[in-house]
Amino acid sequence: MHDNDAKLIERLLAAPLEDVLADARERRDARGPSRMTYSPKVFIPLTRLCMDVCHYCTFATTPSRLDAPYLTPEEVLGIARAGAESGCKEALFTLGDAPERRYSVAREWLAERGYTRTIDYVRDCAELVLNETGLLPHINAGILDEDDYRMLRPVAASAGLMLESTSERLLEKGAAHHGSPDKVPAVRIASLEAAGRAKVAMTSGILIGIGEAPEERIESLIALRDIHRKHDNIQEVIVQNFCPKPGTKMAQWPEASESDFLRVIAAARIILPDEVSVQVPPNLNDERLAELIDAGIDDWGGISPVTLDHVNPEAPWPEVERLTAICERAGLPLVERLTIYPRYIAMSEEGWIDPAIKPAVLKLADTEGLGRDSVWSPGVAEIPLGTPAAPLGRRYEGTGPLELHSILSRAANGYELDEADIVTLFSARGAAAQAVIETADALRSDAMGEDVTYVINRNINYTNICTHHCSFCAFSKTSIKAGFRDKPYNLDLEEIAERSREAVARGATEVCLQGGIHPTYTGETYLSILRAVKDACPDLHVHAFSPLEVTQGANTLDMSVSDYLRMMKDEGLGSLPGTAAEILDDEIRQQICPDKLTTEEWLNVLRDAHLVGLPTTSTIMFGHLEGTHHWARHLIHLRRLQGDTGGITEFVPLPLVHMEAPMYRRGQSRKGPTWREAVMMHAVARIVLFGEIDSIQCSWVKLGVEGSAAVLAAGANDLGGVLMNESISRAAGASHGQDISVDDLRAAAAGAGRPLRQRTTLYKDVRVLESVAV
């Protein structure tokens, strides 16, 4: 053992307990966002037969006490489906170690079904659960080798193997592990290292109170630390307290004292790298949950709303609502996670998630790699969680950490926030998230007053034929893309003019013109479209042509973007939509729209537009591959551009509608933002852009009327336009229709307790313009 480790052991065992606990809390609190996590799981006890005979275990039993040696695939699937229906995201496969090595009945049962090993049957059951329910399997199958782990990768998001202890003494006659060859510490360490070579994210842990010495407990934690340092594959370490069970050889064995238990928990947080979570089973410690939080833990492990803990059947799971309240009182909101931790999802391109299971992981993950908060996704018919009274779905007690309020105060005083500040805001949960939303709503009132605004407009998407291959777009059609909701089309000029006249007849003050990048379109094409509208409706405001279309037009005429914009302005163009922004970070743009404008090129088009006197909007399209740090960079780009030019009229968050998006259908993206993320995007944007971009618009097409009403209480002030024939979101699978009535918009505003007022594209009062015209 290294001298430093010997000194560490001595310090952790000799220091006053309160000092060790304080050190652990400080390290826990400094490692990341303030939260506690758990995994909603269903427990699948595939077999209770085991080759080992641990003297404290009641899970393992003998064939004579079982109706069958293994659960059938039908039984497995029945348990998994019940879990999925109850909101679980993890299917925990727990079983004894290789029972076929001990029991002939196990060998015979497997042979009848074409198997020679239990682990091969486990693999097929995991695949069945994954494919039929979407739950992510987590495999606790005992000692496995590297080939076994590689075999499991396509069907299991993670796996687990408790180290339990590095003490060889526990193998001696009369000790806890006597007669259990798979509990040899070197064998278990070798299996954990094999998982690392196979790039399988692992859960491990130690068992406290089975006869090990205090220093051996710390040595076991150091062993896990060293495995992780070598292979980077330990995602969490469980510190589990031994609980004596009737009917076992250790039924009268004393439990570890509470002070010893808390000391080891704190030692785990101090010893392990920050990225490794420290977990304690809550059902074994129901009377001291707050004390466990104070010892530095950050995770509760799996909790099942469906099945009991088959390893500890005498200890029921705590109610999630009660656990939530305890965590919130500690200032650590309880958040769902997946069986694989966010860090490994973020490193999926480095091989930590097999391509075969990655789509299932992405379906259940939010932007931070935690669990989605509900079944809601943008564009779906389900009513979202939030309301104007509680945009996040409920109200929280408390105020959030001081660091958060410092960030909010700086933003409210007009200071630019940096990337880390903005990520902190996006990561806020519970009371902290509520503080963000309340600040955003107050800043909205300061910037825009109480009126909720809207514009009467019509969208004319003149072609859906496009030479670009954006992986999120279900609107554009080529000969190979056609076949979802629409066929390729290209409107002629008379049709565009007629739709403009119809819009005016219905009270529109704006027409919004955008389309795909048609291979035959030139700069003259766009000018002719503009002329057709202005000839038909001279007083109609034309809000048209994305930065990508402007660049395309300028290039085909061998003109600078600036000169082309001047020409369009002279022909009657009133403003540009700041679409095609997607995520203003080239790391993400290279993945989702590699043939589009770069971040710098997009920003330069808007800058040129502003300099020639053409206002623009600005957008973000979020909820697919990007992270919160990409959102932060996007908002910083927009704030700085607005600070230079002042030409942006509004910011419009556009959550991904995933249903028909090609990258989602290929299993390469998430399902759009969660409801919480949609709310937080509007709120954080209001805070970050405060003092620069005054109007924050919400998209009723993506959020629905009820969702829009909720977001109006979280920083948004504008409902956009009635649209008339919006087709881009519809093509992607949105169910909220192609247009909306003013009465519906008024209902959304009223839901937030605010009046509705019609505006122009440039945020003038329509009534004022009408009086001037008279």
Side-chain angles (χ1 to χ4, degrees), residues 50-105:
C50 183
M51 72 160 293
D52 293 321
V53 287
C54 301
H55 299 325
Y56 47 77
C57 180
T58 57
F59 176 73
T61 188
T62 59
S64 62
R65 297 182 179 181
L66 298 174
D67 293 334
Y70 296 86
L71 296 180
T72 66
E74 293 75 19
E75 290 170 324
V76 168
L77 197 54
I79 296 170
R81 283 177 171 151
E85 290 170 2
S86 297
C88 295
K89 296 178 173 68
E90 171 189 346
L92 170 62
F93 283 81
T94 292
L95 54 148
D97 284 44
E100 70 276 12
R101 289 158 56 190
R102 182 174 182 183
Y103 295 109
S104 60
V105 67

Side-chain angles (χ1 to χ4, degrees), residues 317-353:
W317 304 111
E319 293 181 355
V320 171
E321 292 78 9
R322 176 168 162 264
L323 199 59
T324 296
I326 292 170
C327 292
E328 288 179 2
R329 284 197 294 271
L332 297 168
L334 186 63
V335 180
E336 290 187 16
R337 63 164 172 84
L338 305 182
T339 180
I340 184 167
Y341 272 68
R343 180 169 177 265
Y344 294 94
I345 297 175
M347 297 193 300
S348 63
E349 296 303 315
E350 300 172 29
W352 286 101
I353 301 179

Side-chain angles (χ1 to χ4, degrees), residues 732-760:
S735 60
H736 296 304
Q738 289 183 268
D739 54 27
I740 194 170
S741 72
V742 173
D743 285 342
D744 288 333
L745 297 179
R746 183 171 291 107
R754 309 223 302 269
L756 185 71
R757 177 173 59 83
Q758 185 182 348
R759 63 165 174 87
T760 68

Side-chain angles (χ1 to χ4, degrees), residues 543 547 576-582 584 602-603 606 610 615-621 634-635 637-639 641-642 647-654 685 689 692-697 763:
H543 180 67
L576 267 69
T579 51
E582 324 315 353
L584 293 176
W602 187 93
L603 291 167
L606 260 67
H610 300 164
T616 72
T617 61
S618 61
T619 61
I620 185 172
M621 193 278 293
H634 188 107
L635 293 176
H637 281 307
L638 294 180
R639 180 182 173 90
L641 175 63
Q642 181 73 341
I648 298 176
T649 59
E650 66 192 15
F651 174 68
V652 189
L654 299 173
L689 301 176
E692 296 293 352
I693 301 175
D694 287 337
S695 183
I696 307 296
Q697 182 185 120
Y763 284 82

Side-chain angles (χ1 to χ4, degrees), residues 572-689:
L573 181 63
S575 57
L576 267 69
T579 51
E582 324 315 353
I583 296 292
L584 293 176
D585 189 283
D586 289 338
E587 175 190 352
I588 298 300
R589 298 181 78 80
Q590 280 297 314
Q591 297 178 66
I592 66 172
C593 52
D595 49 358
K596 266 190 174 176
L597 303 178
T598 65
T599 296
E600 183 177 6
E601 289 169 339
W602 187 93
L603 291 167
N604 284 340
V605 174
L606 260 67
R607 185 182 302 275
D608 288 342
H610 300 164
L611 292 178
V612 303
L614 285 170
T616 72
T617 61
S618 61
T619 61
I620 185 172
M621 193 278 293
F622 65 110
H624 36 91
L625 305 180
E626 81 292 356
T628 54
H629 59 295
H630 298 114
W631 296 350
R633 294 169 192 171
H634 188 107
L635 293 176
I636 290 170
H637 281 307
L638 294 180
R639 180 182 173 90
R640 290 178 178 172
L641 175 63
Q642 181 73 341
D644 289 344
T645 68
I648 298 176
T649 59
E650 66 192 15
F651 174 68
V652 189
L654 299 173
L656 173 73
V657 176
H658 71 280
M659 288 77 85
E660 298 290 358
M663 63 181 172
Y664 176 77
R665 291 168 66 90
R666 294 193 296 263
Q668 297 171 341
S669 86
R670 301 189 299 275
K671 297 172 65 175
T674 65
W675 173 248
R676 174 193 157 275
E677 290 167 344
V679 173
M680 294 298 283
M681 177 59 75
H682 292 79
V684 174
R686 167 62 69 192
I687 292 165
V688 173
L689 301 176

Side-chain angles (χ1 to χ4, degrees), residues 425-449:
L425 297 182
F426 277 124
S427 300
R429 307 265 178 163
Q434 185 165 294
V436 171
I437 288 167
E438 289 173 352
T439 298
D441 195 43
L443 295 181
R444 181 271 310 158
S445 182
D446 288 348
M448 297 297 289

